[in-house]
Amino acid sequence: MKNTLLFLGLLLLLPRMTAGQSCRGSCGVQMPGCSCRVTCAALLDCCSDYSQFCLQVAPHSSCMLGGRSLQILDVVFDPGQRLLCRFGGDVTTEGFVDEEGSGRCVTPLLLETGWIRFGVSTDGSAFDRSGEYLSVHPSKADPAFQVALINSTRWMNYGTASVSGRLEMRWDGRLVGAERVNVELWGYRETPETSRDSSRAELRYLYSLARNLSNSGSFSFTPEPSEEFSGWELGNIRVTAASASDGRENVEALWSGAHILAWHLPRDFRDDPAAWAQNRCQQWGARESTLPDFLDELLDCPCTLAQARADKGRFHADYSCDLDGGSVCSYHPGSVHCVRAAQASPSQGAGQQCCYDGRGALVLTGDSAGGSTPDRAHDWGSPPRVPGYSHWVVDVLSFYHCCLWSHNCPLYLKHRPSTGCQNYRPPTAGVVLGDPHFITVGGLDFTFNGRGEYQLVLVPERALSVQIRTEAVRLPESGEANATRLSSVAMKQNLSDIIEVRLVNDSLQVLRNQKVLLFSEQSWMDLKGAFLFSPTRQKVTAMLSSGVAVDVRVSDGNMAATVLLPPEFPETIRGLLGSLSAGVNATDEQVFAFGASWSISKDSSLFTYDSEFLLSSYLRLPGHDPAFVPDFAPALDPGDPLVSDMLRMCSGGGAKFCQYDTVMTRRLEAGNATLRFYQTHRRLVQDLETVVSCGWVPTPKNGKKNGTRYLQGDTLTFSCDDRFSLYGSTQRTCLPDGEWTGQTTHCVTDSILGFVLGAVGSVSALVTMGVMIKRHSRKRERACSGKLEGLFYDLTRASPPPRGKMDVMTEADSRSAT
């Protein structure tokens, strides 16, 4: 009776305890009686005012240029109530309450990407309501919310030969929310252009192209040269309501993509575009010569296209030249696919680009003006580089000046020469797939069917942790099988966000710091310490800042997770994908004990527990369920029709995994998915095999080189032009030790050769020939500088891409031109 009265007393007291607890200014905090954490909605333990102060907005993403109205969900404000919105802690904008009582904040111009926190104040001082939204790189922004430049190539080459007339733009008039609009030009610059201080980056209003224009969704005009603003070569068009004053910041607006402002350049550009561009190109070259060398900071390119596409942690497809996207590679003729380094270089924020031809060979600027060109500023930005814009300023504008508008591409390629692949080392890969089977980074495979949460990869020296969760396999009819399957993968490195990818209704759900991420608006996200790419609900790739990749796939309800580790990681990887301490010949029971030893503690867990099932099945239980004993070797019934079908399907490498999963799940689809995952991993390992490169060999001056592949077993042949004789090797082959056979090839004039042959004595002839060749080599060395080394001959002959190619260039191509 006493205990009953005490329990009833606690029930009466609990509402009073929680009633005084508020999420005001406390989002993310666990209160004694309720929660202000993001998981509280699923666990039904939110404080009563959680949705009032821990805000959700729609849309949840916006271009970093701002101008998008974010609606605050599940909160009703008083009409006419004043709202202030503070973004990133230091940019405050005026919000407003619409006719339905929904609060709205307009995203500001931030020049940074990633998840941005914002606060909302209703009293003008306390920003006690908070939320976050995703600030997106302009090239990845929703095109429906952009001003479209019709025939963008025409815009960006206006004033050059045969490019004139009216320019046209279009937009969705419904998104401006006004009957009349202003059309403005905004310019971007970095002062000085060589500075890496982001505080000197400036995107500002220059002048209006039209005021109080009817919002028809289109506008055309004939550009006039601008002498006053001729120093601004890069910028954007912005469309705002006519009620906004000229150049007013942080108002609802639509932006065009960044583009070179050829159409407003001064009169002397239109009078002689080639001379104007040549002068700008030479000025750029002079500045480049004074800047620190950034090439030594860059990763070497993968040697083959297969390696480039497989190294998902360090390289990602360049959308301007992408096999999967059907790009025409306008700026890299001769290439079929390019990749860019995912991470910027450590001190200068530079970026690597690697392009490949139809044979899968790396294309170099030493052989073609369409070869790979690295970037002084990484396109995706790295503080203090500004995403997209810094790359335009220091890499793309000069490409227009030197290669597209004048015939100075050799100067451009001198400062942006391709990087070879002699120092490239591929990553190592391990995988967990099916129910679940493991292939370690060392190539050993085994099956571990424990139920619980385990350490997949642990590298304490690099503060890297990748964990997995497994659950019992459910049979088609009812009940559970004596086997498990992968259900979730979680990861973190250093101070990165915690990323979790879990299986929900045969699709992948992604969480960041316990909050579900929606990829309905974006397939690419910049996170703290990582990038996320999810083109479909069945594919997610996490690229950590160290170059580690965790690639997660789902097929027919089965998950697979591949971990790619850069070569600089220590060989002593711990966890289930590390060394199998039980030994190659271990029994099933020994392997099971080995797997169980890698169960994780709740203190080290990276997982989210946002349902009663997860709380009761994992959080409140040991990391490894000792009561669950799997069936190590299920018996095969010859009379079972499933078995005969299975034996026909499961053959070759991975057959044992395919058979096990088919029998345990009673589903051919599950076994087939496991077999495909296994075969995909084997192809990945094959693609990542080390390839020996002997390095680029120049074409001899006054001669020809047949061959542009420089890998083990490749052979180059040389010949000389008329009236020149060959000295050195006519053929050279790349050996397994990374050295070329033969001697450097030179082409010398017949007069020099005759003089040598006329010298007295064979020894004198050899000495004289050596002197002549040495003098010839010194001339070439003087003609080269810095990183060029033997590039002299090819660069002096390199030419810009044919003018005809410009007809198929798109705005996306221009953004990734170099």
Side-chain angles (χ1 to χ4, degrees):
M1 181 66 178
K2 182 177 179 181
N3 290 338
T4 302
L5 290 175
L6 178 61
F7 177 70
L8 292 175
L10 289 173
L11 287 179
L12 292 172
L13 183 61
L14 184 59
R16 296 181 182 178
M17 292 172 60
T18 59
Q21 295 176 357
S22 172
C23 291
R24 182 189 298 268
S26 300
C27 293
V29 177
Q30 177 68 52
M31 301 293 186
C34 59
S35 175
C36 298
R37 293 180 175 176
V38 69
T39 55
C40 74
L43 296 175
L44 304 178
D45 64 348
C46 295
C47 295
S48 59
D49 62 358
Y50 172 77
S51 63
Q52 301 296 305
F53 291 96
C54 303
L55 306 179
Q56 303 296 318
V57 295
H60 63 262
S61 65
S62 169
C63 176
M64 73 178 195
L65 300 178
R68 190 84 179 268
S69 175
L70 305 180
Q71 179 184 5
I72 300 173
L73 305 178
D74 304 322
V75 183
V76 177
F77 295 91
D78 295 331
Q81 188 172 15
R82 186 191 182 202
L83 297 184
L84 287 180
C85 309
R86 179 173 292 169
F87 294 86
D90 57 359
V91 179
T92 302
T93 67
E94 285 279 351
F96 63 95
V97 180
D98 63 21
E99 296 176 352
E100 287 76 30
S102 294
R104 292 180 176 271
C105 291
V106 178
T107 58
L109 173 64
L110 287 180
L111 296 184
E112 62 177 299
T113 59
W115 285 94
I116 306 294
R117 293 197 61 81
F118 68 90
V120 175
S121 173
T122 55
D123 62 8
S125 58
F127 289 84
D128 47 16
R129 304 170 190 261
S130 63
E132 60 181 1
Y133 80 101
L134 182 66
S135 179
V136 179
H137 190 292
S139 68
K140 298 181 176 66
D142 186 345
F145 288 83
Q146 289 186 323
V147 176
L149 306 180
I150 306 306
N151 192 349
S152 59
T153 300
R154 180 184 177 87
W155 280 75
M156 292 186 286
N157 291 280
Y158 196 94
T160 60
S162 302
V163 183
S164 60
R166 298 183 68 82
L167 295 178
E168 183 182 2
M169 65 184 81
R170 295 175 189 167
W171 64 90
D172 187 340
R174 298 169 299 175
L175 301 177
V176 180
E179 292 184 359
R180 307 197 73 82
V181 296
N182 294 336
V183 180
E184 304 170 341
L185 174 63
W186 286 58
Y188 179 88
R189 66 182 177 186
E190 295 179 2
T191 310
E193 292 181 357
T194 56
S195 172
R196 295 192 67 238
D197 183 354
S198 60
S199 66
R200 298 187 181 184
E202 182 182 16
L203 179 61
R204 74 171 180 89
Y205 169 80
L206 299 184
Y207 55 86
S208 293
L209 297 172
R211 293 185 178 90
N212 202 30
L213 180 75
S214 176
N215 184 14
S216 63
S218 66
F219 173 65
S220 64
F221 68 107
T222 300
E224 293 295 331
S226 171
E227 302 300 332
E228 181 181 356
F229 298 102
S230 61
W232 298 81
E233 293 188 56
L234 177 65
N236 305 71
I237 300 293
R238 190 180 81 156
V239 176
T240 65
S243 58
S245 57
D246 289 347
R248 183 181 172 186
E249 295 185 350
N250 305 327
V251 296
E252 287 189 80
L254 300 178
W255 294 84
S256 75
H259 62 284
I260 189 168
L261 304 178
W263 52 272
H264 102 141
L265 291 178
R267 176 63 61 184
D268 55 347
F269 169 73
R270 296 197 186 181
D271 291 341
D272 193 341
W276 185 94
Q278 178 172 320
N279 181 56
R280 296 289 292 172
C281 176
Q282 291 172 347
Q283 291 176 5
W284 170 81
R287 285 194 304 272
E288 280 287 317
S289 299
T290 67
L291 297 178
D293 180 19
F294 70 92
L295 298 173
D296 288 339
E297 286 191 357
L298 300 178
L299 285 171
D300 266 28
C301 286
C303 288
T304 66
L305 176 58
Q307 285 180 332
R309 303 190 76 182
D311 194 346
K312 296 181 179 181
R314 295 183 291 177
F315 295 92
H316 188 72
D318 182 339
Y319 297 121
S320 72
C321 185
D322 181 7
L323 270 174
D324 296 331
S327 175
V328 294
C329 305
S330 301
Y331 286 90
H332 298 279
S335 298
V336 298
H337 189 76
C338 296
V339 296
R340 291 185 180 275
Q343 301 295 330
S345 68
S347 67
Q348 298 193 56
Q352 179 63 283
Q353 183 195 51
C354 312
C355 296
Y356 301 85
D357 63 20
R359 302 169 301 163
L362 183 63
V363 182
L364 304 175
T365 51
D367 296 319
S368 167
S372 321
T373 50
D375 306 317
R376 183 172 287 279
H378 197 294
D379 182 37
W380 300 345
S382 176
R385 298 290 195 194
V386 175
Y389 286 88
S390 291
H391 173 56
W392 261 103
V393 168
V394 302
D395 296 303
V396 184
L397 292 181
S398 52
F399 182 77
Y400 272 79
H401 298 155
C402 299
C403 294
L404 297 184
W405 293 347
S406 72
H407 293 277
N408 284 271
C409 217
L411 178 60
Y412 182 84
L413 298 180
K414 171 184 175 180
H415 293 288
R416 298 292 185 269
S418 299
T419 301
C421 70
Q422 280 185 286
N423 297 319
Y424 173 77
R425 291 188 297 156
T428 54
V431 68
V432 51
L433 51 87
D435 296 340
H437 314 287
F438 299 80
I439 303 176
T440 70
V441 294
L444 295 177
D445 62 68
F446 63 92
T447 297
F448 168 61
N449 262 281
R451 181 166 65 183
E453 296 171 338
Y454 305 93
Q455 194 75 56
L456 185 66
V457 172
L458 180 64
V459 187
E461 302 92 331
R462 301 279 179 155
L464 172 67
S465 177
V466 183
Q467 301 172 356
I468 61 170
R469 176 189 287 159
T470 61
E471 63 183 14
V473 171
R474 297 189 178 276
L475 296 173
E477 299 83 10
S478 62
E480 296 180 345
N482 288 332
T484 57
R485 67 174 185 172
L486 182 65
S487 63
S488 189
V489 183
M491 67 209 75
K492 177 181 173 64
Q493 185 171 20
N494 294 316
L495 300 177
S496 75
D497 288 333
I498 297 175
I499 302 168
E500 182 178 355
V501 184
R502 61 189 185 187
L503 185 63
V504 176
N505 298 327
D506 294 341
S507 296
L508 296 177
Q509 183 184 73
V510 185
L511 296 89
R512 163 185 165 263
N513 299 333
Q514 301 188 337
K515 181 178 181 179
V516 175
L517 295 178
L518 300 178
F519 286 88
S520 55
E521 297 175 10
Q522 299 293 330
S523 61
W524 180 278
M525 291 189 186
D526 296 7
L527 308 186
K528 182 180 179 182
F531 294 118
L532 274 182
F533 179 60
S534 181
T536 71
R537 297 184 65 186
Q538 284 71 44
K539 299 178 182 181
V540 175
T541 303
M543 293 162 273
L544 304 183
S545 59
S546 63
V548 171
V550 181
D551 194 47
V552 186
R553 298 287 186 269
V554 63
S555 177
D556 291 306
N558 280 12
M559 278 182 77
T562 300
V563 180
L564 292 160
L565 299 172
E568 58 268 21
F569 270 60
E571 295 182 0
T572 54
I573 304 299
R574 305 180 192 179
L576 292 168
L577 292 186
S579 300
L580 182 60
S581 60
V584 178
N585 299 316
T587 64
D588 292 335
E589 290 76 11
Q590 289 173 324
V591 171
F592 189 74
F594 162 77
S597 71
W598 283 112
S599 64
I600 61 174
S601 67
K602 301 313 170 190
D603 292 338
S604 64
S605 173
L606 302 176
F607 292 103
T608 300
Y609 306 92
D610 56 357
S611 69
E612 183 57 38
F613 169 76
L614 293 175
L615 289 172
S616 60
S617 301
Y618 295 97
L619 184 63
R620 297 170 186 155
L621 294 178
H624 171 75
D625 184 356
F628 184 84
V629 180
D631 191 340
F632 295 121
L636 301 181
D637 181 2
D640 186 347
L642 179 72
V643 171
S644 59
D645 291 339
M646 175 198 71
L647 293 175
R648 284 193 297 270
M649 179 183 71
C650 301
S651 60
K656 61 180 181 179
F657 294 157
C658 173
Q659 293 175 12
Y660 182 91
D661 291 2
T662 301
V663 172
M664 296 307 299
T665 64
R666 303 295 301 167
R667 293 177 60 243
L668 286 170
E669 296 84 357
N672 188 38
T674 297
L675 184 62
R676 293 199 308 271
F677 282 141
Y678 179 91
Q679 293 168 344
T680 298
H681 180 73
R682 285 304 179 198
R683 286 195 298 270
L684 175 71
V685 172
Q686 183 178 359
D687 289 342
L688 289 173
E689 289 180 354
T690 299
V691 176
V692 175
S693 170
C694 293
W696 178 76
V697 175
T699 301
K701 186 177 181 180
N702 303 312
K704 297 180 180 64
K705 176 181 65 177
N706 184 19
T708 55
R709 291 175 59 97
Y710 309 103
L711 306 182
Q712 179 181 339
D714 292 331
T715 296
L716 305 175
T717 58
F718 304 91
S719 60
C720 292
D721 298 340
D722 293 342
R723 300 190 307 277
F724 290 88
S725 298
L726 189 145
Y727 180 82
S729 299
T730 58
Q731 180 173 293
R732 305 185 71 182
T733 300
C734 181
L735 299 176
D737 62 0
E739 298 292 333
W740 288 103
T741 60
Q743 303 296 320
T744 302
T745 304
H746 299 276
C747 293
V748 296
T749 62
D750 293 338
S751 59
I752 293 176
L753 185 62
F755 172 77
V756 172
L757 294 176
V760 180
S762 59
V763 174
S764 176
L766 291 174
V767 171
T768 304
M769 178 64 81
V771 170
M772 301 303 296
I773 294 300
K774 190 169 186 63
R775 290 180 61 189
H776 175 73
S777 298
R778 283 178 177 173
K779 286 183 180 180
R780 295 188 65 189
E781 290 171 3
R782 285 195 298 270
C784 305
S785 63
K787 288 289 174 181
L788 283 178
E789 297 175 351
L791 281 171
F792 171 73
Y793 170 73
D794 296 275
L795 292 182
T796 55
R797 289 196 173 183
S799 59
R803 295 277 178 178
K805 288 288 185 181
M806 294 171 60
D807 295 336
V808 294
M809 293 179 189
T810 65
E811 185 173 345
D813 293 328
S814 300
R815 285 194 295 264
S816 300
T818 60

